[in-house]
Every structure is written in C-alpha cells, then in structure tokens.
Amino acid sequence: MRVNQLHPWPTSAEEAEAIQERLRLHVELTGPTEFTLVAGLDVHYHGDDDVAAAVVVLSTTAPAPAPASSVTDDRAGSVAGRVAGGLVVVEQVVVRGKARFPYVPGLFAFRELPALVEALERLTVTPDLLVCDGYGLAHPRGFGLACHLGVLTGLPAIGVGKTHFVGTHDTPAPARGAWTPIDLNGSTVGRALRTQQDVKPVYVSQGHRITLDTACAEVLRLSPYHRLPEPIRKADHLARHGDL
DNA sequence: GCGACAG
DNA sequence: ATCTTGTCGC
C-alpha cells in the first residue's frame, strides 16, 4: 500500500515534539464502524537498535466460533492461514532495520515508525484498520503511535497498550467487556477495557478516523480468546520468530 | 523537589 | 523492549 512520505526526521526531542504538535491537527475522531481487513502491527527488538517490524493482515469476515472446550488447541495458530476467532491471514510482512531514535516516553513512535512504514509499504493489500501496539490519543500531547500511523496512512487506527501510561482510571469490573474511562486533564482519552474475565485490562485509545466506542468494540471482537487482539498477537509472533 | 514514564 | 528462575495450570 501507499504511505505518505515521512516528514523530515527529527534529530532532537524538541523537533520530534514539534512534529507531533503539527500532525495532531490532522487526527479525526470519527469514521467507519465496520472493518474487514484488519492489520496488526508490532516491533521486536534485538539488542539496542536492531528491530524487526511485522504487519499481519487478517480477514475478519468469518464469524468467531464459540470458545467452547477448545481453548487449548489453537493457541499456536493452526491450519494454513487460520487463526483463532475465525480470522484468516491474508498477508504478512517482516522488515528488519535499525531504531533511529532513542526510547523516550512520549516519543516512542519515532523508534518504530520507519520500520513499520516500510512494512506497510510492502503490503499488496490495503487494510481497513490498523491495530497498533501502543497508545493513540491517550498520550501527553494527544499523538501516540496509533495516531501517527493513522495520519501517515490515512487509515482508521486504534492504539492498544498493555500497561498504564497517562491519565487516571478506576479498575473495571472483572467481566469481559467491562471498561472504565481514562481521564487526562478532565477529558476522556481512552478506556481500560477488560478483554477477558479476570485478566488485566488493556488500554484502548483512538488513533485516527474511529470513535472510542467503535475502537473498543473492535478490540473486543478481535480478542475472542486472549488478552490481546489476535492481529497484534500474530504480528508479535511474526516479529520475533517469523524471519530467523 | 520527587516519582512516574507506551515499547 | 529485554535479561532470567521457578512455579502453576491445562
């Protein structure tokens, strides 16, 4: 797929923050409510600056089979292209590269962006939705990785974080689907969402062209058996074992 | 001033 | 993120 050209690469934290402040004005908080081709993105690190970026595109048309009694058999994937939840792998790409920015909370996107963009450009299909490993709106300047990728591609994007980052929130009820708002300076920037009963919640925030309601509904739909959405689990697996 | 701080 | 041992559960 085609991705907008990367802006001039920042050489300092100040420049990186200025880019975020500028691009944040392009974020849209409404968009489609249904998606068929969903891409999961993740990056794996080797040593200090070697990275492997993975993108896995799943077709989500088939209905998710009932969890029933078979939670143990398909955890490692299974028959050709089939993934848990009735999802099917349409395409996958891995790109090895170097991290071109130090890790700084709030500027995390600049570490993974170049490799992820290259991986997206190698895709022959264009996804309807990007599910990113990290935050979107729930960010100190309201422009996390999911927003950045959304704006560069023009695609709807969701950020799914595994740990608390910004704002405050109450603990959601233990049931799958339960959630509480994440508040930052008096406004809601995301939700702590329980994707499995009695399992730690994930932190969902809008990236681009999607509402918070739709983002959470998608994360739930894409997480039939595990804490994390299948596209991200698949991308994570590919980034670390896929290409060696 | 001190601690916290996506991956 | 990654570095690790041990422990628990299916």
Side-chain angles (χ1 to χ4, degrees), chain A residues 106-146:
Chain A
L107 299 179
F108 163 64
F110 292 93
R111 246 175 120 54
E112 308 198 333
L113 221 43
L116 285 174
V117 166
E118 190 181 332
L120 286 169
E121 285 175 327
R122 293 192 189 182
L123 242 36
T124 64
V125 297
T126 300
D128 302 316
L129 173 69
L130 304 181
V131 181
C132 311
D133 186 19
Y135 279 74
L137 246 203
H139 174 277
R141 282 169 296 283
F143 197 76
L145 174 67

XYZ file of all heavy atoms in Angstrom, chain A residues 106-146:
310
model
N 6.707 9.046 25.359
C 6.051 10.162 24.689
C 6.571 10.347 23.265
O 5.901 10.926 22.423
N 7.775 9.829 23.006
C 8.345 9.916 21.662
C 8.629 8.527 21.119
O 9.376 8.344 20.162
C 9.651 10.738 21.689
C 9.478 12.178 22.165
C 10.820 12.893 22.187
C 8.497 12.916 21.253
N 8.001 7.569 21.750
C 8.178 6.171 21.401
C 7.953 5.888 19.916
O 8.647 5.065 19.310
C 7.200 5.363 22.265
C 6.962 3.994 21.792
C 7.984 3.077 21.755
C 5.699 3.607 21.372
C 7.758 1.781 21.319
C 5.476 2.331 20.936
C 6.502 1.420 20.912
N 7.015 6.580 19.307
C 6.672 6.308 17.906
C 7.867 6.483 16.974
O 8.007 5.753 15.991
C 5.537 7.225 17.458
N 8.742 7.411 17.301
C 9.869 7.675 16.411
C 10.866 6.524 16.373
O 11.714 6.447 15.497
C 10.565 8.983 16.816
C 9.701 10.184 16.558
C 8.877 10.691 17.554
C 9.665 10.755 15.300
C 8.049 11.776 17.313
C 8.840 11.843 15.038
C 8.032 12.353 16.044
N 10.770 5.619 17.312
C 11.629 4.440 17.308
C 11.146 3.405 16.291
O 11.933 2.799 15.584
C 11.592 3.798 18.703
C 12.903 3.861 19.441
C 12.769 3.326 20.834
N 13.636 2.176 21.095
C 14.936 2.178 20.889
N 15.512 3.229 20.361
N 15.657 1.114 21.162
N 9.847 3.227 16.242
C 9.303 2.130 15.443
C 8.759 2.553 14.081
O 8.562 1.710 13.216
C 8.183 1.455 16.243
C 8.615 1.054 17.648
C 7.691 0.024 18.269
O 6.510 -0.001 17.891
O 8.166 -0.749 19.114
N 8.515 3.825 13.918
C 7.859 4.314 12.713
C 8.524 3.935 11.391
O 7.840 3.421 10.492
C 7.722 5.839 12.810
C 6.425 6.466 12.333
C 5.221 5.665 12.811
C 6.343 7.887 12.843
N 9.831 4.159 11.226
C 10.434 3.877 9.913
C 10.256 2.422 9.483
O 9.852 2.159 8.341
C 11.912 4.219 10.128
C 11.901 5.237 11.229
C 10.807 4.769 12.149
N 10.516 1.495 10.372
C 10.389 0.076 10.024
C 8.933 -0.308 9.775
O 8.632 -1.073 8.852
C 10.988 -0.789 11.137
N 8.026 0.223 10.566
C 6.606 -0.103 10.383
C 6.079 0.462 9.072
O 5.310 -0.199 8.362
C 5.781 0.449 11.559
C 5.908 -0.336 12.873
C 5.168 0.377 14.004
C 5.358 -1.753 12.696
N 6.491 1.669 8.728
C 6.039 2.275 7.473
C 6.565 1.470 6.290
O 5.829 1.218 5.322
C 6.507 3.750 7.383
C 6.361 4.284 5.964
C 5.710 4.611 8.353
N 7.819 1.028 6.393
C 8.373 0.228 5.297
C 7.601 -1.081 5.147
O 7.315 -1.530 4.034
C 9.851 -0.055 5.559
C 10.541 -0.679 4.356
C 12.012 -0.989 4.605
O 12.630 -0.289 5.440
O 12.519 -1.938 3.980
N 7.256 -1.678 6.264
C 6.489 -2.931 6.216
C 5.123 -2.695 5.570
O 4.667 -3.484 4.739
C 6.327 -3.499 7.619
N 4.476 -1.594 5.939
C 3.163 -1.278 5.363
C 3.260 -1.045 3.863
O 2.386 -1.464 3.093
C 2.572 -0.030 6.042
C 2.032 -0.237 7.460
C 1.735 1.109 8.121
C 0.774 -1.095 7.428
N 4.348 -0.403 3.440
C 4.510 -0.108 2.007
C 4.687 -1.384 1.186
O 4.408 -1.410 -0.005
C 5.698 0.835 1.792
C 5.377 2.266 2.191
C 6.585 3.197 2.103
O 7.720 2.729 2.345
O 6.384 4.381 1.813
N 5.167 -2.424 1.832
C 5.367 -3.689 1.106
C 4.097 -4.525 1.010
O 4.076 -5.580 0.368
C 6.463 -4.502 1.785
C 7.820 -3.845 1.672
C 8.926 -4.775 2.093
N 10.192 -4.055 2.184
C 11.347 -4.623 2.498
N 11.389 -5.920 2.764
N 12.440 -3.904 2.553
N 3.059 -4.065 1.671
C 1.781 -4.769 1.608
C 1.169 -4.612 0.214
O 1.181 -3.526 -0.358
C 0.833 -4.148 2.646
C 0.279 -4.947 3.809
C 1.286 -5.948 4.368
C -0.181 -4.005 4.903
N 0.625 -5.707 -0.312
C -0.039 -5.613 -1.617
C -1.524 -5.330 -1.450
O -2.211 -4.989 -2.407
C 0.121 -6.917 -2.430
O -0.551 -7.982 -1.742
C 1.592 -7.273 -2.589
N -2.037 -5.510 -0.234
C -3.430 -5.161 0.040
C -3.458 -3.947 0.960
O -2.482 -3.677 1.665
C -4.200 -6.318 0.724
C -4.261 -7.527 -0.184
C -3.572 -6.663 2.058
N -4.543 -3.219 0.937
C -4.701 -2.066 1.826
C -5.697 -2.428 2.918
O -6.853 -2.716 2.629
C -5.223 -0.837 1.054
O -4.287 -0.504 0.021
C -5.391 0.347 1.982
N -5.238 -2.438 4.172
C -6.129 -2.784 5.290
C -7.218 -1.725 5.479
O -7.075 -0.589 5.005
C -5.192 -2.801 6.497
C -3.801 -2.812 5.944
C -3.877 -2.133 4.618
N -8.286 -2.099 6.175
C -9.350 -1.146 6.514
C -9.106 -0.524 7.880
O -9.726 0.468 8.247
C -10.706 -1.867 6.579
C -11.053 -2.552 5.278
O -10.851 -1.930 4.221
O -11.513 -3.710 5.319
N -8.212 -1.176 8.642
C -7.988 -0.742 10.024
C -6.607 -1.185 10.481
O -6.171 -2.294 10.190
C -9.057 -1.370 10.935
C -8.907 -1.162 12.444
C -9.154 0.302 12.810
C -9.882 -2.070 13.209
N -5.934 -0.300 11.227
C -4.634 -0.650 11.822
C -4.810 -0.809 13.327
O -5.378 0.061 13.984
C -3.602 0.466 11.557
C -3.341 0.878 10.108
C -2.277 1.979 10.074
C -2.912 -0.324 9.278
N -4.341 -1.925 13.863
C -4.372 -2.144 15.311
C -2.931 -2.093 15.800
O -2.130 -2.981 15.489
C -5.024 -3.488 15.659
C -5.070 -3.678 17.173
C -6.430 -3.558 15.086
N -2.605 -1.030 16.519
C -1.218 -0.766 16.904
C -0.927 -1.118 18.348
O -1.766 -0.963 19.234
C -0.898 0.710 16.689
S -1.392 1.327 15.070
N 0.309 -1.559 18.565
C 0.797 -1.941 19.879
C 1.328 -0.687 20.568
O 2.491 -0.333 20.398
C 1.916 -2.973 19.650
C 2.407 -3.561 20.946
O 1.700 -3.479 21.948
O 3.517 -4.109 20.930
N 0.473 0.004 21.301
C 0.883 1.251 21.935
C -0.327 2.154 22.101
O -1.457 1.693 22.047
N -0.094 3.435 22.309
C -1.188 4.350 22.551
C -1.511 5.252 21.367
O -0.700 5.376 20.434
C -0.865 5.244 23.746
C -1.121 4.565 25.076
C -0.271 3.579 25.567
C -2.227 4.913 25.838
C -0.520 2.965 26.786
C -2.487 4.306 27.061
C -1.619 3.323 27.525
O -1.876 2.718 28.716
N -2.702 5.832 21.395
C -3.108 6.797 20.381
C -3.313 8.149 21.031
O -2.361 8.808 21.448
N -4.574 8.545 21.186
C -4.922 9.817 21.823
C -4.457 9.907 23.268
O -4.166 11.000 23.757
C -6.450 9.965 21.823
C -7.146 11.037 21.017
C -8.520 11.304 21.643
C -6.338 12.329 21.031
N -4.433 8.779 23.958
C -4.008 8.772 25.356
C -2.487 8.934 25.392
O -1.735 7.970 25.466
C -4.428 7.469 26.034
N -2.052 10.161 25.305
C -0.638 10.480 25.137
C -0.447 11.913 25.644
O -1.379 12.707 25.575
C -0.298 10.347 23.645
C 1.076 10.776 23.254
N 1.402 12.092 23.012
C 2.207 10.057 23.057
C 2.684 12.162 22.676
N 3.181 10.945 22.704
N 0.734 12.233 26.152
C 0.966 13.578 26.715
C 0.590 14.716 25.778
O 0.113 15.756 26.209
C 2.469 13.577 27.003
C 2.794 12.136 27.255
C 1.913 11.370 26.306
N 0.798 14.536 24.475
C 0.426 15.574 23.512
C -0.722 15.117 22.619
O -0.999 15.710 21.577
C 1.645 15.951 22.640
C 2.639 16.869 23.339
C 3.940 17.006 22.580
N 4.654 15.735 22.505
C 5.349 15.205 23.509
N 5.425 15.853 24.665
N 5.953 14.043 23.388
N -1.405 14.048 23.037
C -2.542 13.564 22.259
C -2.158 13.001 20.907
O -2.949 13.016 19.965
N -0.920 12.480 20.781
C -0.493 11.974 19.478
C 0.483 10.807 19.617
O 1.678 10.923 19.316
C 0.132 13.101 18.648
C 0.238 12.800 17.182
C -0.884 12.847 16.368
C 1.455 12.438 16.622
C -0.795 12.559 15.017
C 1.558 12.146 15.261
C 0.431 12.210 14.459
N -0.040 9.673 20.047
C 0.796 8.481 20.181
C 0.982 7.771 18.857
O 0.500 8.218 17.806
N 1.665 6.627 18.914
C 1.991 5.852 17.709
C 0.789 5.576 16.806
O 0.867 5.677 15.585
C 2.627 4.521 18.128
C 2.904 3.515 17.013
C 3.984 4.049 16.079
C 3.322 2.174 17.591
N -0.347 5.217 17.410
C -1.525 4.878 16.600
C -2.026 6.088 15.815
O -2.465 5.951 14.675
C -2.637 4.320 17.491
